Amino acid sequence: FVTGGHRVLEQALLKREIDLAFLPLPVHSFKLDYTIVAEEMMVFALAQGHPALEGKQLPPDSLISPVPLEAERLNGQTFLTVPSDHGIFKIWEEVLRRNQIRPGKILEFPDSNLTYKLACENMGIAFIQDSTVLYPGYYKRACCATIDDPPVKSSIAAVYRIGEELSPLARRFL
């Protein structure tokens, strides 16, 4: 079992420490191949009562119906990010660039589960895959918001070494 960002997991595959990794696209190494296994909606996670939500009608379950936010509401805000080698970080950068959002502070943490928990505690805004809200459970729930219509999606891929036979179990999974 190996955890880490894209580079860590890709290196573990190339060093034969693992046979299969699940990563958001893109895959960086030309020695690896992938099969897309899922798509996840990307959302901004904000604490209930965050200033960027002021005046917004909040649905009972914002994971199912994310709150539409105007991009300018996110200017100058503190963002909680994963390291720059994570696929989520690359998507976040593109969303900010495309919507001309200028963050205030950017705080980096090792994984999106932690950024979500800190967003729940009103320490900033996290950009996460919607499944992060569900696992692992956290005693508080953030409000999920999007600025793009339709919301940005992230492709999740099963990544493996090119030219190598996958185990029967891995093939059956895919």
Side-chain angles (χ1 to χ4, degrees):
F1 185 77
V2 176
T3 62
H6 261 77
R7 301 270 186 241
V8 171
L9 293 172
E10 287 186 21
Q11 287 303 310
L13 278 166
L14 294 170
K15 292 178 184 175
R16 302 183 173 308
E17 294 170 359
I18 57 175
D19 294 320
L20 191 64
F22 295 92
L23 298 167
L25 292 180
V27 173
H28 299 100
S29 174
F30 295 111
K31 296 178 181 179
L32 299 173
D33 201 359
Y34 63 88
T35 300
I36 295 175
V37 295
E39 271 196 343
E40 292 190 286
M41 179 172 50
M42 302 300 297
V43 296
F44 291 95
L46 301 90
Q48 305 284 339
H50 189 284
L53 296 171
E54 188 175 325
K56 288 287 184 181
Q57 186 78 3
L58 303 183
D61 189 347
S62 64
L63 182 58
I64 294 169
S65 302
V67 175
L69 273 184
E70 299 79 18
E72 52 273 5
R73 286 180 179 248
L74 301 180
N75 281 325
Q77 299 291 338
T78 297
F79 282 89
L80 313 167
T81 70
V82 294
S84 61
D85 69 334
H86 286 235
I88 293 171
F89 184 89
K90 306 288 187 217
I91 297 167
W92 174 75
E93 277 188 319
E94 175 58 23
V95 168
L96 294 188
R97 185 194 61 72
R98 189 174 58 244
N99 290 284
Q100 300 176 351
I101 297 169
R102 294 167 309 287
K105 250 197 252 181
I106 299 172
L107 305 173
E108 183 181 297
F109 297 94
D111 63 65
S112 57
N113 289 326
L114 181 55
T115 63
Y116 174 73
K117 291 173 184 176
L118 294 171
C120 287
E121 299 298 336
N122 209 11
M123 295 187 67
I125 301 170
F127 186 68
I128 58 170
Q129 294 157 319
D130 61 357
S131 63
T132 305
V133 175
L134 303 173
Y135 179 85
Y138 191 61
Y139 77 101
K140 286 186 178 179
R141 191 99 181 236
C143 178
C144 296
T146 61
I147 56 174
D148 294 297
D149 188 21
V152 172
K153 302 238 178 182
S154 168
S155 294
I156 306 301
V159 183
Y160 43 87
R161 290 179 293 280
I162 287 179
E164 291 196 15
E165 189 71 23
L166 289 174
S167 71
L169 179 61
R171 277 197 314 273
R172 197 172 23 224
F173 177 79
L174 298 176

